[in-house]
Amino acid sequence: IEAGPGRTIRVLGAEEDIARQILKLCNEEQKQACWLSKQAPDDLRGGGVLQPETTAAVGLAAGKMSVDQKKLLSELLGEYLKNMPADVARERRERLEKAGMDAIHFAWWGDGERNERHYYRVQGPSFIIEYNNTQNAANHVHSMWRDMAGDFAIPLAK
């Protein structure tokens, strides 16, 4: 968003930049696991549904990331958590720590450069994050954190 001479405001800019840094630090083998398509989906896959998709995680497992990538992944999760009410963030962080970082997967679709269509997903045993920036020439962001046990304390239907 243009906010005056020489000033731009980017919605979820840190979340976008940190995720892209993880991607850019991938070696060729990691890119094969992480970068699933050069085509980004048009929107979040779980948008508009009552409960999160519970399919298996895809992408690069944190257990196969470098120390720097793991640090960035932790930073990315922190960016999302700091936007939540303190009690919700605390509970989600506890669940993250209990499951361990190595079970978290990071996946990327679309272009790797800023201002181009892209989508990423971060999925662990207790959560799934989706981020999509494809609309209006990659100038319209959607993102959400879903609880794999069921959103809004509503258990998943079996």
Side-chain angles (χ1 to χ4, degrees), residues 31-44:
K31 279 183 185 174
Q32 292 293 318
C34 173
W35 207 334
L36 300 182
S37 175
K38 299 293 182 174
Q39 293 290 104
D42 290 332
D43 206 348
L44 303 172

Side-chain angles (χ1 to χ4, degrees), residues 84-109:
M84 299 176 190
D87 58 331
V88 173
R90 184 174 40 259
E91 183 267 333
R92 289 185 176 178
R93 186 174 297 282
E94 287 170 3
R95 289 175 64 198
L96 276 168
E97 290 171 1
K98 184 178 178 183
M101 287 291 287
D102 286 352
I104 297 171
H105 286 71
F106 175 81
W108 187 277
W109 289 257

Side-chain angles (χ1 to χ4, degrees), residues 2-3 5 15 19-21 26 40 48 53 56 77-78 85 105 137 152 157:
E2 296 302 322
E15 290 84 346
R20 185 173 289 107
Q21 288 176 18
C26 285
E53 300 273 345
L77 293 169
H105 286 71
F152 307 106

Side-chain angles (χ1 to χ4, degrees), residues 51-118:
Q51 293 295 345
E53 300 273 345
T54 56
T55 56
V58 296
L60 177 63
K64 295 186 178 185
M65 290 182 177
S66 69
V67 172
D68 288 341
Q69 288 169 316
K70 284 182 183 180
K71 182 178 176 193
L72 287 166
L73 180 61
S74 183
E75 192 177 322
L76 178 61
L77 293 169
E79 281 296 319
Y80 280 95
L81 289 167
K82 78 179 187 181
N83 293 321
M84 299 176 190
D87 58 331
V88 173
R90 184 174 40 259
E91 183 267 333
R92 289 185 176 178
R93 186 174 297 282
E94 287 170 3
R95 289 175 64 198
L96 276 168
E97 290 171 1
K98 184 178 178 183
M101 287 291 287
D102 286 352
I104 297 171
H105 286 71
F106 175 81
W108 187 277
W109 289 257
D111 200 285
E113 298 303 320
R114 194 168 153 191
N115 301 319
E116 298 295 333
R117 292 172 48 92
H118 60 281

